Amino acid sequence: MRHPSVWMVSSVLTFMLVGCTTNEQAEPKEPTTQTPSNEDQPVVQPNDSESNPNMEEPDASQEEPVTEEPATTDEPVDEQPPTTLEPAPEPEPAPSEEPTDKAAPEAEGKIANLDLGTLVLVNKQIALPENYKPSDLVPAQIDFVSTASGERKMMRAEAARAIEALMLGAKADGMDLKGTSAFRSYAYQVQLFNAYVARDGKEQAMKYSAQPGHSEHQSGLAIDVSSASVNYQLTQSLGQTTEGKWLADHAHEYGFIIRYPRQFEAETGYMYEPWHLRYIGIEHAAKVRAANEPLDRYLEEYMK
Ligand SMILES: [Zn+2]
């Protein structure tokens, strides 16, 4: 019995000594250490609290899988493997910059003119207000990939009706298309963009993903679609499929344009995205197609 007591006493003393020493030494360094540890905790949640629901959706993760072509995805290939997405991305611990808003940097403070309605211009220089969310979002009644859910299946009413008509027309022509991601909140885009930056670095991420506020998906007027022939992934090879060609030839009939054509990559700053449809109304979609110029330039001239 005594032995244990003695042993315990010395253990306690030892513990105390060690503890004191440790604490003293540690305090100073703590700051440094903490940062790193955060990274380990990958869970995305840090960024958006609300997004938990969204996170399930794979936007982020998808990309990895999808990848036939490097940076294809403007957003995330929602459709695919939902599982992976979130995990990897979260870690972003944004080192230096500010947490959420950082994204804005590139933009030079230009705010989108919402008075333009369905012609609102959102690009790398012009952003939607952080708190902007269309008041007329409604579910688009079309087939979506299984990983799409909630708000991501919604669009502004006029655009929702248009994509429904487009899908009916596509189906009538034998096309097999599904929506993968429509509306995206600012908060969701924050997660997504940060995840991409963590994975590929900011410079690369900028080529295929919009910074928060700069995504057309936040406008409720954009939707990503893909076909069974490419396993509903957001890949540039969609453009070579029957469905991709159909979209290029007929989207304008329903008021949509392929927003980021290959020939205007340098001008828009985005890689070719045959899956990203932007609604601007039938009249303007036909004009943009006929003019063969990016929406940015078309609107610049239209506004004069
Ligand atoms: Zn898109």
Side-chain angles (χ1 to χ4, degrees):
M1 296 293 286
R2 294 178 183 177
H3 295 290
S5 302
V6 173
W7 181 83
M8 290 178 69
V9 171
S10 41
S11 296
V12 171
L13 289 172
T14 304
F15 177 82
M16 291 175 69
L17 289 171
V18 174
C20 291
T21 309
T22 308
N23 291 336
E24 294 176 1
Q25 297 177 334
E27 294 185 6
K29 301 177 181 179
E30 283 193 10
T32 320
T33 330
Q34 295 181 345
T35 311
S37 56
N38 292 338
E39 302 181 359
D40 298 340
Q41 311 171 339
V43 188
V44 189
Q45 306 177 344
N47 303 342
D48 323 341
S49 28
E50 26 170 293
S51 37
N52 291 347
N54 300 337
M55 311 193 53
E56 299 181 351
E57 313 199 41
D59 288 10
S61 45
Q62 305 174 335
E63 319 159 354
E64 309 181 358
V66 184
T67 358
E68 302 180 348
E69 304 174 303
T72 333
T73 349
D74 94 10
E75 309 150 1
V77 188
D78 300 52
E79 331 134 353
Q80 321 160 348
T83 332
T84 342
L85 310 178
E86 313 180 14
E90 324 245 355
E92 350 171 352
S96 31
E97 318 177 5
E98 329 75 292
T100 330
D101 306 302
K102 308 179 176 181
E106 210 187 29
E108 297 176 357
K110 290 187 185 174
I111 298 300
N113 180 3
L114 293 167
D115 291 338
L116 290 174
T118 53
L119 280 182
V120 64
L121 179 61
V122 179
N123 57 28
K124 286 185 178 289
Q125 291 75 42
I126 305 173
L128 287 165
E130 180 173 348
N131 60 0
Y132 177 70
K133 180 178 178 180
S135 58
D136 60 346
L137 285 178
V138 298
Q141 303 297 333
I142 64 171
D143 289 332
F144 276 93
V145 294
S146 61
T147 52
S149 64
E151 290 186 332
R152 316 253 320 276
K153 298 167 76 171
M154 302 177 85
M155 297 185 81
R156 292 191 59 183
E158 185 177 333
R161 288 194 296 271
I163 195 64
E164 289 161 4
L166 181 150
M167 287 298 192
L168 285 177
K171 189 168 294 184
D173 284 349
M175 302 298 112
D176 187 348
L177 289 165
K178 286 185 180 179
T180 70
S181 181
F183 173 72
R184 263 186 237 143
S185 68
Y186 183 97
Y188 188 81
Q189 193 67 25
V190 167
Q191 293 185 345
L192 207 54
F193 186 76
N194 285 342
Y196 292 143
V197 170
R199 192 189 67 187
D200 298 330
K202 187 172 180 180
E203 184 179 355
Q204 192 60 27
M206 295 279 291
K207 296 177 183 175
Y208 64 87
S209 179
Q211 294 190 338
H214 294 270
S215 172
E216 285 196 325
H217 287 270
Q218 189 186 337
S219 73
L221 298 169
I223 181 171
D224 295 333
V225 303
S226 192
S227 69
S229 53
V230 292
N231 197 29
Y232 300 111
Q233 294 186 354
L234 300 189
T235 167
Q236 291 184 338
S237 61
L238 170 67
Q240 274 68 60
T241 66
T242 302
E243 286 82 2
K245 291 174 180 173
W246 187 94
L247 286 171
D249 291 338
H250 300 281
H252 68 285
E253 296 168 9
Y254 302 91
F256 290 91
I257 57 170
I258 304 294
R259 180 68 171 88
Y260 307 113
R262 189 188 296 283
Q263 64 194 120
F264 300 125
E265 287 183 336
E267 192 166 344
T268 65
Y270 284 104
M271 295 177 31
Y272 172 46
E273 296 189 351
W275 61 84
H276 181 103
L277 303 179
R278 161 65 197 272
Y279 180 77
I280 55 175
I282 294 176
E283 176 190 350
H284 291 291
K287 289 181 178 176
V288 168
R289 186 165 189 274
N292 190 34
E293 57 187 7
L295 178 63
D296 317 65
R297 202 195 311 161
Y298 172 81
L299 288 178
E300 190 176 320
E301 296 166 359
Y302 176 75
M303 302 298 285
K304 287 180 181 176

